[in-house]
Amino acid sequence: MSRQAFEAFQRGITLEKEAQFERAKALYEDILLNAGEDAVTEKVHCRMEDIDDLIAEKAIYRRIDENAKLVLTEIGVNIAGSQSLLELLMEADAVNFDNETALFIPLKQEYIDHCLEQTPRKMAGDPGKNTFGIGATSPFLKRAGEDELRQANREEYKKIASAVGEQQDVVGIFSLPAACDMSISLFEVAQLMEKNFPGLKMITTNTMSDDEAAFLKGKDQWLDGTSLMTSLGPMDNMVEPFLRSARIGNNLLLIDQSIAGVSAPGSPEAFLTQVHAQVIFMMVIAQTVNPGVSCVHCGIPSVVGADGALAYSSPQQTFINAAMARVNSWIAHFPSAQTGGSTSLSEVTPQALLDSELSRNTLRKYGVHIVRHAMGALGSLNFFSLDKFLEDCGRERHSRRIFEAMPKDIGVIPTYFPGDDQALAGIREAAEKGNPKNADHTLKNAGSFIHWMERIREAAKKKQYYPELNDIVLETINSGG
């Protein structure tokens, strides 16, 4: 084995992890041209099988990033009814009054660029890559042996906070796991979280008082979970809380919870383009109010099953979030948070635990940043179970040990993300018709997620990257799913 070839191969793997695939390809081609056949060139041949797919995948993500900005400049945002937002942007000279073809209020490209340049690309309390955590603000706490649906009370929140604190070796972010009842306020929950968990934490502040919301200011280990947009328009009840959080200067977790074919277009590319556009708009507003305020891109795209309910057991849910993470890590370079590790099942069963384990492992293999909802959630985020949380932590601990022992030269795995050159037109059509369900683009792409999963499954049959870890693709194949 040539030491020179080995070192060149290691540089190629590093370039892949930095998403510099064309440079990695050139390096691999040079190795094959100049090195003899040995163990290194065998590994290089293996990487060359993937490199063109990775180059093509990154090109689609670059288009998503570019088109997301075009959504804001060419289609616009439906803020005509929000006096606060409209006045804010007009005062900043951000509105393009010369655009006569936009459906809504269009922004100036240079203003978007200016705001994004001010948005920090690093977060002070960053727990690092492939961080999995607790929390979905589920409406109900799941209690063993009880069928009654209730929120968590003060004593139960004490137990939850204590349990999370005891699992710090695998819990990377402690988000609000379930709604609380009248026995404890949201601010008091935050105090329990602060007392028991020193790592990254997230809570929503929209129902807090001004003084309570300001509790998060200047604290690197806290994120203010907030949202503003849905279907290219603001949520009226979130405008003032959003502006308040930005003005305070809290670290903002900008949440977009769009659903494919329901509140956003149906094709994967058009779906992520709209999600990305809405988060970028939130960044623009945040930077307009408070230049330099920290923002975490929390576009958490969701899919529905045949029954119309959120489908957190579906591999589609896992892969669309892995793709959203790559838009950020490969192209936009914003700190990001995704959803994953949950299940559609509502009871703590072996299958529910396996659903969550497979989702976490898949997200880890494709590479994400921060993943909320990864432990303890049930019923597509409708329930939080302390029992499931502890089981999930045990499985996560086991998976992490296996993953850490794996070779480091496997390279980056393609998702074979499907392109859609009509993505921007599809977003515009859905906006014109007022509902993605009524758009021809949605109907034409009704099977796009299914076809994407078939492509991944075919690739998984040919090439297995991490055989020691449960693989959601292979598990789906074996179960006939």
Side-chain angles (χ1 to χ4, degrees):
M1 180 186 300
S2 163
R3 181 173 182 81
Q4 185 177 4
F6 175 76
E7 291 176 350
F9 173 67
Q10 292 299 321
R11 288 199 300 274
I13 293 295
T14 299
L15 287 170
E16 283 195 52
K17 291 178 180 178
E18 295 172 351
Q20 298 186 50
F21 303 118
E22 291 181 345
R23 289 181 61 191
K25 180 179 180 179
L27 196 58
Y28 294 149
E29 289 175 335
D30 187 62
I31 294 172
L32 295 177
L33 185 63
N34 296 290
E37 290 295 324
D38 58 14
V40 172
T41 53
E42 183 178 342
K43 289 177 178 289
V44 172
H45 281 299
C46 183
R47 295 312 309 135
M48 286 294 285
E49 292 173 359
D50 291 337
I51 204 71
D52 285 337
D53 288 316
L54 290 166
I55 291 171
E57 183 178 343
K58 183 177 179 181
I60 297 174
Y61 296 152
R62 184 177 291 108
R63 182 167 66 186
I64 286 172
D65 187 55
E66 293 169 352
N67 280 347
K69 297 166 191 173
L70 289 178
V71 169
L72 303 181
T73 60
E74 300 300 322
I75 298 174
V77 186
N78 191 8
I79 59 171
S82 176
Q83 196 69 20
S84 298
L85 295 179
L86 190 56
E87 288 180 356
L88 183 72
L89 292 173
M90 289 177 64
E91 185 177 343
D93 193 26
V95 177
N96 182 6
F97 291 104
D98 294 330
N99 186 333
E100 298 179 354
T101 61
L103 295 177
F104 306 124
I105 306 297
L107 302 187
K108 293 179 178 178
Q109 178 69 56
E110 58 269 26
Y111 188 76
I112 296 172
D113 294 339
H114 169 71
C115 289
L116 296 185
E117 285 172 4
Q118 295 183 91
T119 307
R121 268 25 183 218
K122 296 186 182 298
M123 54 185 295
D126 194 345
K129 185 179 179 181
N130 293 331
T131 292
F132 296 100
I134 180 178
T137 319
S138 303
F140 307 110
L141 178 67
K142 192 78 171 180
R143 301 164 176 85
E146 288 190 30
D147 294 329
E148 184 181 358
L149 299 179
R150 288 180 285 124
Q151 299 166 327
N153 60 36
R154 177 181 295 274
E155 292 306 312
E156 287 167 330
Y157 250 111
K158 287 181 180 179
K159 292 179 182 178
I160 291 170
S162 177
V164 174
E166 293 169 358
Q167 306 294 323
Q168 293 177 44
D169 59 317
V170 290
V171 177
I173 178 172
F174 185 3
S175 297
L176 191 70
C180 55
D181 67 12
M182 298 298 291
S183 67
I184 185 171
S185 70
L186 210 55
F187 181 69
E188 289 174 306
V189 171
Q191 301 299 306
L192 286 175
M193 295 167 69
E194 176 89 345
K195 176 183 177 182
N196 287 274
F197 191 76
L200 189 65
K201 296 170 283 291
M202 190 288 292
I203 200 163
T204 55
T205 65
N206 57 300
T207 61
M208 291 185 183
S209 69
D210 291 349
D211 288 342
E212 290 172 343
F215 164 73
L216 277 63
K217 182 179 180 180
K219 296 188 176 182
D220 294 342
Q221 300 298 332
W222 272 101
L223 296 174
D224 185 335
T226 186
S227 187
L228 181 64
M229 303 293 293
T230 182
S231 301
L232 296 181
M235 295 176 280
D236 292 340
N237 65 326
M238 288 302 299
V239 173
E240 293 310 319
F242 184 94
L243 294 175
R244 181 185 67 175
S245 292
R247 290 189 178 109
I248 290 172
N250 292 345
N251 300 319
L252 305 178
L253 184 79
L254 304 176
I255 303 170
D256 184 289
Q257 296 177 298
S258 297
I259 302 173
V262 177
S263 56
S267 81
E269 181 175 346
F271 185 25
L272 290 194
T273 301
Q274 181 165 316
V275 170
H276 194 44
Q278 294 185 151
V279 176
I280 287 176
F281 180 77
M282 287 189 263
M283 289 179 176
V284 168
I285 295 298
Q287 299 306 320
T288 301
V289 169
N290 189 351
V293 66
S294 179
C295 295
V296 177
H297 189 302
C298 190
I300 48 177
S302 294
V303 298
V304 295
D307 59 355
L310 289 176
Y312 265 71
S313 290
S314 169
Q316 300 174 18
Q317 178 68 25
T318 298
F319 278 98
I320 194 66
N321 274 272
M324 185 78 262
R326 286 186 169 184
V327 170
N328 279 295
S329 62
W330 291 9
I331 307 297
H333 306 299
F334 297 120
S336 65
Q338 303 307 134
T339 184
S342 185
T343 174
S344 299
L345 301 178
S346 298
E347 302 294 335
V348 185
T349 64
Q351 185 59 51
L353 294 170
L354 181 60
D355 284 350
S356 296
E357 181 181 21
L358 294 176
S359 179
R360 287 192 303 272
N361 285 345
T362 299
L363 288 168
R364 188 196 334 267
K365 287 181 289 186
Y366 285 87
V368 288
H369 186 191
I370 296 167
V371 179
R372 300 166 62 228
H373 320 151
M375 300 167 189
L378 286 164
S380 294
L381 312 186
N382 281 313
F383 312 99
F384 173 77
S385 162
L386 189 54
D387 291 338
K388 181 174 183 291
F389 165 69
L390 296 174
E391 291 279 358
D392 285 339
C393 286
R395 290 192 176 217
E396 171 61 16
R397 200 170 282 116
H398 174 70
S399 291
R400 185 181 293 186
R401 286 196 297 267
I402 295 175
F403 192 87
E404 289 174 350
M406 295 294 293
K408 306 304 180 187
D409 60 359
I410 291 173
V412 178
I413 311 173
T415 69
Y416 309 100
F417 190 82
D420 174 13
D421 59 10
Q422 295 299 308
L424 199 58
I427 294 170
R428 187 180 187 94
E429 183 199 358
E432 287 175 332
K433 294 185 175 179
N435 190 330
K437 295 179 181 179
N438 300 328
D440 292 338
H441 180 270
T442 302
L443 297 175
K444 290 176 182 176
N445 287 279
S448 57
F449 274 88
I450 294 173
H451 296 150
W452 180 22
M453 294 304 104
E454 289 173 350
R455 174 71 178 89
I456 293 173
R457 289 169 188 149
E458 287 304 310
K461 290 177 184 178
K462 299 174 184 176
K463 193 172 184 180
Q464 205 172 353
Y465 294 88
Y466 296 95
E468 291 84 353
L469 284 163
N470 285 329
D471 188 304
I472 197 166
V473 178
L474 296 181
E475 285 285 337
T476 302
I477 294 168
N478 294 337
S479 67

